[in-house]
Amino acid sequence: MSEHTLDARNILCPLPVIRTQDAIAELDPGDVLHVSCTDPGAINDIPTWCRINGHEVLDIEQDGREIRISVKVGSTG
Amino acid sequence: MSQRKAVALISGGLDSLLAARVIMEQGIHVEGINFFTGFCVEGHTHAIRNQDKAKPKRNNALWVAEQLGIKLHIVDIIEEYKDVVINPKHGYGANLNPCLDCKVFMVGKAREWIEAHGFDFILTGEVIGQRPKSQRADTMPVVAHESGAEDLLLRPLCAKNLPETLPEREGWVDRERLYDFSGRSRKPQMALARQFGFEDYAQPAGGCCFLTDRQYSTKLADLWQARGERRYELDDIMLLKVGRHIRPRSNFKLIIGRDEGENNFLEGYRKQFTHLRSTSHKGPLVLLDGEVDDADLELAARLLGRFSQGRDASEVEVEINRNGETATRRVRPLPPDEIRQDWYL
Ligand code: SF4
């Protein structure tokens, strides 16, 4: 298991979702990806994308404009 | 025999939701694919404008996939799509929407995708006679042929009005359990949605992207004309969705935030543009796009005054940031009768 970060700040949905999707495609099941973003739409869209594609959202933190979402990669590939 | 697999083009509207569901009913494994062109109505402006804050910011394509319980693959086609918008072989619809070329392109991408992922065929929610107007009996074969998908392209909602496709011929799907919808009426789709228990689905009017919007297309055409060439970057087409766009002279235009949400968004582009704001009164952030002289800056400052809370004051103070340098000037806000209607894009 390894931890990774993704900077998806200052881009608008669905781009943060697309960047998350493309980053996860390169990771292994069990890996964790921390995504930083600023579009509030991502608070809904990234967790929805994770639910339908079998990944687990571990945590969502909000600090001013910045949102940090941690995702554990699922095994469905 | 192993389970057959289809990829469905998911726009986020009702038709693609139903098309996918109809085929899932027949025991086919379905996954969704959604293309992001940069012009999509999804997300963006919803997140930008204050007035939309009350509405839930949902991405309809993701919502549809969740309703169906299928995976969704979102593909960034921003770069390749430029050629579709700039040089559409089949021309434009009522506005700058190159719908037929767009369909050909997306189905073609889906065909590449199924080859790469070992899927058997492609689904779309197309219905002959529905809006956008590109969905006609004579364009259906054009999409199938020019995309290279040929008879791997199945349109479950109107399949009975079209020649048999490979999935039907091979018996992977039962043609009898497909539909024969046609024409502008939405009633058959709404009835089918009820039958499947779908509620609260999105009903886009006229099209799935900003290119079907008249005002948006006017702004894009203006951008091309001002640049002297038909070209755009992602930032350009994002900015066309935001603010009031005013072109008082052929050499420059102003983008004026209409509320706090838009001002925040424009804030992110500040460094790339000459920008103005009032230091004496509350008001918008204004980006200036173009090459300007001193008289132009004066006019821009006076226009800003007009859109600030100092509009009725005898003078407002405006800070102008240009090429990293800041200058301040005091100007009289432009009176309303000096703002020509045709300046508004
Ligand atoms: S409305 Fe936009 S996305 Fe939909 S087919 Fe036409 S050009 Fe393509």
Side-chain angles (χ1 to χ4, degrees):
Chain A
M1 191 213 107
S2 55
E3 297 211 16
H4 305 261
T5 56
L6 172 68
D7 182 358
R9 290 172 303 176
N10 301 317
I11 51 176
L12 294 171
C13 280
L15 286 171
V17 185
I18 298 178
R19 300 287 176 262
T20 303
Q21 163 191 272
D22 295 351
I24 285 181
E26 303 295 317
L27 301 181
D28 293 317
D31 286 357
V32 173
L33 181 69
H34 303 286
V35 187
S36 305
C37 41
T38 45
D39 180 353
I43 298 178
N44 292 327
D45 291 356
I46 292 180
T48 307
W49 181 84
C50 289
R51 275 198 305 280
I52 63 184
N53 289 286
H55 310 290
E56 185 190 347
V57 173
L58 299 176
D59 193 26
I60 301 178
E61 277 173 52
Q62 200 162 359
D63 181 8
R65 270 187 76 218
E66 193 156 327
I67 302 153
R68 210 166 107 116
I69 304 177
S70 301
V71 181
K72 186 170 164 198
V73 180
S75 56
T76 52
Chain B
M1 189 188 77
S2 65
Q3 191 186 22
R4 292 291 164 181
K5 296 195 270 190
V7 74
L9 269 69
I10 299 291
S11 65
L14 177 60
D15 293 0
S16 49
L17 169 68
L18 293 173
R21 182 60 203 273
V22 163
I23 294 306
M24 291 167 74
E25 286 281 291
Q26 298 208 19
I28 304 288
H29 172 85
V30 176
E31 295 187 14
I33 193 165
N34 172 261
F35 295 104
F36 179 59
T37 64
F39 295 101
C40 308
V41 185
E42 292 304 335
H44 298 119
T45 37
H46 301 256
I48 301 167
R49 289 209 71 180
N50 284 348
Q51 63 181 40
D52 292 327
K53 279 218 168 104
K55 289 188 215 151
K57 297 178 199 87
R58 113 182 155 187
N59 175 305
N60 284 313
L62 286 168
W63 181 84
V64 161
E66 189 160 41
Q67 295 297 301
L68 291 165
I70 63 172
K71 287 191 178 178
L72 182 72
H73 310 276
I74 310 178
V75 186
D76 168 353
I77 55 167
I78 297 166
E79 281 305 314
E80 291 165 275
Y81 194 73
K82 288 177 179 172
D83 192 48
V84 176
V85 179
I86 294 170
N87 303 304
K89 182 174 150 194
H90 298 283
Y92 297 106
N95 296 297
L96 283 176
N97 49 314
C99 290
L100 186 49
D101 289 81
C102 173
K103 290 259 168 58
V104 168
F105 180 78
M106 288 185 182
V107 174
K109 282 270 143 201
R111 185 187 57 87
E112 288 169 18
W113 193 93
I114 63 170
E115 271 166 26
H117 294 82
F119 276 50
D120 300 292
F121 60 103
I122 302 162
L123 304 174
T124 69
E126 289 167 286
V127 172
I128 297 166
Q130 294 261 309
R131 298 179 70 92
K133 275 194 219 141
S134 58
Q135 308 190 60
R136 298 190 313 257
D138 60 328
T139 59
M140 295 276 162
V142 175
V143 173
H145 182 64
E146 291 188 6
S147 65
E150 304 290 0
D151 64 355
L152 296 180
L153 174 59
L154 177 65
R155 287 102 164 187
L157 302 186
C158 63
K160 281 184 169 168
N161 300 326
L162 292 167
E164 231 179 11
T165 59
L166 186 80
E168 297 159 275
R169 263 201 320 278
E170 293 291 324
W172 304 337
V173 302
D174 177 3
R175 184 173 170 94
E176 282 315 301
R177 290 160 63 204
L178 302 177
Y179 294 85
D180 61 353
F181 298 168
S182 77
R184 297 250 330 237
S185 169
R186 305 285 302 155
K187 287 202 184 111
Q189 281 93 323
M190 284 151 86
L192 192 57
R194 257 195 312 279
Q195 196 181 313
F196 285 132
F198 291 130
E199 286 166 20
D200 194 27
Y201 41 80
Q203 293 268 37
C208 21
C209 83
F210 267 105
L211 292 168
T212 57
D213 184 82
R214 193 176 51 81
Q215 210 190 350
Y216 188 89
S217 294
T218 304
K219 288 188 269 188
L220 181 57
D222 167 79
L223 182 96
W224 286 343
Q225 200 190 353
R227 296 225 170 125
E229 59 176 332
R230 294 157 64 86
R231 181 180 64 73
Y232 66 82
E233 297 304 327
L234 181 63
D235 281 346
D236 296 325
I237 61 177
M238 289 294 152
L239 280 169
L240 295 185
K241 297 178 186 176
V242 182
R244 231 181 233 110
H245 289 236
I246 298 182
R247 183 176 293 286
R249 298 279 181 269
S250 59
N251 56 314
F252 77 98
K253 78 166 173 181
L254 302 176
I255 307 174
I256 305 176
R258 286 172 294 193
D259 59 32
E260 197 195 331
E262 290 195 337
N263 285 331
N264 285 340
F265 180 78
L266 295 178
E267 199 61 44
Y269 288 92
R270 204 163 35 101
K271 294 206 184 82
Q272 300 168 36
F273 292 89
T274 296
H275 55 278
L276 304 83
R277 73 173 104 222
S278 170
T279 39
S280 57
H281 294 82
K282 276 213 170 98
L285 173 65
V286 174
L287 303 184
L288 186 155
D289 184 18
E291 291 299 325
V292 289
D293 61 20
D294 194 66
D296 294 333
L297 283 178
E298 180 78 9
L299 177 59
R302 295 188 65 198
L303 268 160
L304 178 144
R306 181 73 229 153
F307 288 98
S308 77
Q309 286 186 6
R311 63 181 67 87
D312 298 319
S314 58
E315 235 182 22
V316 294
E317 190 176 79
V318 176
E319 190 182 84
I320 302 174
N321 289 269
R322 194 182 178 200
N323 305 326
E325 285 174 24
T326 306
T328 305
R329 59 173 82 193
R330 302 191 67 85
V331 295
R332 188 169 63 89
L334 203 67
D337 57 358
E338 287 181 37
I339 302 180
R340 294 204 345 226
Q341 265 315 306
D342 62 1
W343 289 358
Y344 286 91
L345 299 174

